[in-house]
Amino acid sequence: MAVQNSTFSTSAKNYAVDARGCMLSLTNNDFSDCAKAVNITKTALSAIVSNNKTSGSIENALGDDQALVQTASVSSLPDVTDFALDIPAPPVVAATKQIFNVKEYGAKGDGKADDTAAFEDAISAAKKAGGGIVYLPAGYYNVTSGLTIPTGVELRGIHEGMHVTTGEGSVIYVTENHGAANEYAFITMEKGSGLRGITFWYPRQAWNNIVAYPWTVSVEGQDCVIRNICFGNTYQAINMAEADCGGHYVDNITGCVLSRGIALDGSTKTGVLMNTHFNITFYSAVWGTKLTDASGAFGSGDMAVALFKHMNANLTAYSFGETVDEQVLFIFNYRARYGMDFTGGFDGKIVGSGVDGSLCGIRVTGSYDNDLVLLNFMDDIVPGETPEGNLGIYVKVDDLSTVRFVASGASSYNYVPSGLVVLESGNLVLDGFDARVTPASGNGAILVKSGSAEVSGIVFQHVGPLNSLGQFSQQSSSASTVDIRVDGDGELSLYSAMARYFFRDDIKGDTLEYNYVVTQ
């Protein structure tokens, strides 16, 4: 159990925290209102109580070998209590309540007839009426050329929440610009337009011979709404990086993306990106539907392996450039080359998000006027190489920029990688961090090449990979196994660390504080 940046209050009779049968980490908390602050019983496995404000008692029945207890506050770590998201209500983009049903304009929705003209006529009628909803009843719509959604118009299908491809519903088949990644997007959204409740499917795509397509959706102005969309087998999903798309509201997005997921840059006012999930299952697990592709072997046992290989070689799931007050909540991706890529200038909040199965989970470069903070972020990597290495977190920012991970963690899947967290330059803060694998090489789970790293409340879990019986094996300590390595140009402030089985460092730079506990 790990608790940080919290305030406790309790009666005089009870301890605020009573540790029994657990690994406990308490850092940067306020126990000022507690006569009895912390009780570490003999049944606790280990404990770190560090950098807390307290005037009450702290009992330690484990002793100094198993528990690190500092009764005085040793530093003033940044406060993250003001980190609540400020998510506005989704804008209403349909300028009128008029409904323009595409079937009333001639659409068949049988997956065979060309419904393009019906869509264009319905959208044109909505525009001429001053706005409205262009409605797609459940069906399979073959649309052979791109569409533009005008201001005040919403293109809406039947789904009113997050959905998967097996839900089908209002499905648009996309076939245009096969093999032409740089052509215009299939859906172009003008400012103040909406897209909602639709599944996009590419029937000419083939999992065993991936073909490029342009962006499915391109946002060309502010105050656009994209909700309840499934990109079943999309090459590139949502582009919000070519125009000022401030005021966007993107929510409940699912699918399998093969090259680019969501790109965001140049947003000049509060935007919302939340509840997104990209995963190969949205492509492969479509049993009982009419959705198929051009592979000739759709759904075979080799499909997942081929998609894993392609996505790990080609996919950047989320890319972030310059934003203002961006609100990011619960975004996720499974399998990519880069799970998240920050190129500089991001301003906002990122909460409760993560990536799994990437070669480089998160890459941060460029400069930032405000701290880039990720709260409750998790990252799991798989074998493979990028120019930065096979890493969970890579940070290379300017000297005035700071990247912070709060109550977060990184790990590797059933193997020992070359590294887990690397700081090339700038400032990195790990405040309550779970490092679930220690590399066997000398690189260190935490490698500070240059710049300054501040680490508090970190836990190194030295277990894995799995043995032949499917059990986690204990990693052994050796001269080549390092938890934290600091090169000569790096600086480290290590306030507290907890390690399972062993702790080893290779520190050549400046180290300010150094406290750790090892548990068996």
Side-chain angles (χ1 to χ4, degrees):
M1 181 179 73
V3 182
Q4 50 267 316
N5 301 300
S6 300
T7 300
F8 290 82
S9 179
T10 186
S11 68
K13 295 181 179 180
N14 300 317
Y15 283 98
V17 177
D18 196 2
R20 304 166 184 259
C22 67
M23 296 174 68
L24 175 69
S25 176
L26 298 173
T27 57
N28 205 32
N29 300 295
D30 189 348
F31 293 93
S32 301
D33 195 34
C34 304
K36 294 182 177 181
V38 182
N39 183 29
I40 305 169
T41 70
K42 289 184 178 180
T43 62
L45 301 177
S46 62
I48 285 182
V49 181
S50 176
N51 200 38
N52 301 286
K53 295 179 181 179
T54 179
S55 57
S57 62
I58 298 178
E59 301 295 333
N60 179 16
L62 280 182
D64 295 339
D65 290 339
Q66 293 291 96
L68 172 65
V69 176
Q70 294 175 321
T71 57
S73 180
V74 297
S75 72
S76 178
L77 294 180
D79 185 14
V80 295
T81 55
D82 185 23
F83 206 75
L85 290 169
D86 184 17
I87 297 177
V92 177
V93 295
T96 77
K97 295 183 178 180
Q98 288 184 268
I99 296 177
F100 303 83
N101 190 322
V102 294
K103 289 198 171 182
E104 295 178 359
Y105 290 83
K108 300 297 183 183
D110 59 5
K112 299 177 181 178
D114 188 343
D115 291 326
T116 307
F119 273 66
E120 291 173 341
D121 289 346
I123 292 172
S124 178
K127 181 179 180 179
K128 289 179 180 178
I133 297 170
V134 176
Y135 181 64
L136 286 61
Y140 302 85
Y141 299 93
N142 184 24
V143 180
T144 58
S145 65
L147 302 171
T148 297
I149 307 177
T151 299
V153 175
E154 181 179 65
L155 186 65
R156 183 192 294 190
I158 69 167
H159 285 287
E160 286 300 310
M162 181 179 285
H163 64 284
V164 298
T165 35
T166 50
E168 298 181 279
S170 306
V171 180
I172 296 180
Y173 287 152
V174 184
T175 57
E176 186 186 33
N177 290 322
H178 180 76
N182 296 320
E183 287 293 330
Y184 55 85
F186 177 70
I187 298 286
T188 298
M189 300 183 68
E190 295 182 352
K191 65 179 181 178
S193 61
L195 184 65
R196 181 171 173 181
I198 297 171
T199 295
F200 291 97
W201 186 261
Y202 288 71
R204 295 180 65 193
Q205 188 58 273
W207 63 263
N208 52 8
N209 184 27
I210 300 295
V211 175
Y213 280 89
W215 291 97
T216 304
V217 178
S218 180
V219 179
E220 302 294 333
Q222 293 188 342
D223 303 319
C224 290
V225 177
I226 306 173
R227 302 180 69 192
N228 312 329
I229 301 295
C230 180
F231 298 94
N233 59 345
T234 291
Y235 193 76
Q236 303 178 90
I238 302 175
N239 184 11
M240 296 188 289
E242 300 300 324
D244 181 359
C245 58
H248 58 268
Y249 195 101
V250 180
D251 182 22
N252 286 341
I253 308 299
T254 60
C256 176
V257 287
L258 303 171
S259 176
R260 300 286 301 278
I262 296 176
L264 175 59
D265 191 13
S267 176
T268 61
K269 67 177 183 178
T270 300
V272 174
L273 173 61
M274 65 181 184
N275 300 319
T276 66
H277 185 140
F278 295 134
N279 195 310
I280 71 159
T281 57
F282 296 100
Y283 190 172
S284 62
V286 291
W287 312 286
T289 73
K290 294 183 180 180
L291 305 179
T292 186
D293 74 355
S295 64
F298 190 73
S300 74
D302 296 329
M303 186 174 181
V305 175
L307 288 174
F308 285 164
K309 182 177 180 180
H310 174 87
M311 293 160 72
N312 280 138
N314 297 282
L315 173 61
T316 299
Y318 301 95
S319 57
F320 296 97
E322 294 184 358
T323 63
V324 173
D325 193 33
E326 186 70 19
Q327 308 291 299
V328 180
L329 175 67
F330 300 152
I331 69 172
F332 177 80
N333 180 78
Y334 179 59
R335 291 283 179 169
R337 184 174 179 83
Y338 296 101
M340 295 185 186
D341 188 19
F342 292 84
T343 58
F346 182 90
D347 173 71
K349 302 170 182 177
I350 306 167
V351 178
S353 300
V355 293
D356 187 3
S358 302
L359 304 189
C360 181
I362 178 170
R363 177 173 65 174
V364 186
T365 57
S367 61
Y368 300 82
D369 293 335
N370 300 311
D371 289 3
L372 174 63
V373 184
L374 293 95
L375 177 66
N376 294 340
F377 177 85
M378 290 304 299
D379 175 10
D380 190 62
I381 56 175
V382 296
E385 288 299 322
T386 70
E388 295 76 24
N390 184 204
L391 308 169
I393 297 169
Y394 175 82
V395 177
K396 186 178 182 180
V397 296
D398 67 24
D399 292 342
L400 299 178
S401 298
T402 297
V403 181
R404 298 177 58 208
F405 289 86
V406 180
S408 298
S411 65
S412 62
Y413 179 75
N414 196 26
Y415 80 107
V416 179
S418 58
L420 203 60
V421 179
V422 172
L423 174 62
E424 288 270 8
S425 61
N427 303 282
L428 174 66
V429 177
L430 303 178
D431 184 6
F433 195 84
D434 183 13
R436 283 180 282 167
V437 164
T438 297
S441 72
N443 288 341
I446 310 296
L447 170 59
V448 184
K449 289 186 175 181
S450 185
S452 175
E454 183 178 280
V455 180
S456 177
I458 190 168
V459 178
F460 295 99
Q461 302 217 38
H462 301 109
V463 292
L466 300 178
N467 60 23
S468 60
L469 300 177
Q471 302 166 329
F472 278 112
S473 57
Q474 173 183 337
Q475 292 183 8
S476 59
S477 176
S478 69
S480 63
T481 305
V482 177
D483 289 296
I484 297 180
R485 175 182 163 189
V486 182
D487 285 346
D489 293 333
E491 296 182 358
L492 172 69
S493 301
L494 177 62
Y495 296 113
S496 57
M498 181 184 296
R500 190 171 183 185
Y501 300 125
F502 63 87
F503 179 87
R504 183 177 294 277
D505 66 75
D506 183 5
I507 296 177
K508 299 180 177 66
D510 295 331
T511 302
L512 302 182
E513 297 283 347
Y514 196 3
N515 302 295
Y516 68 90
V517 60
V518 176
T519 176
Q520 298 298 322

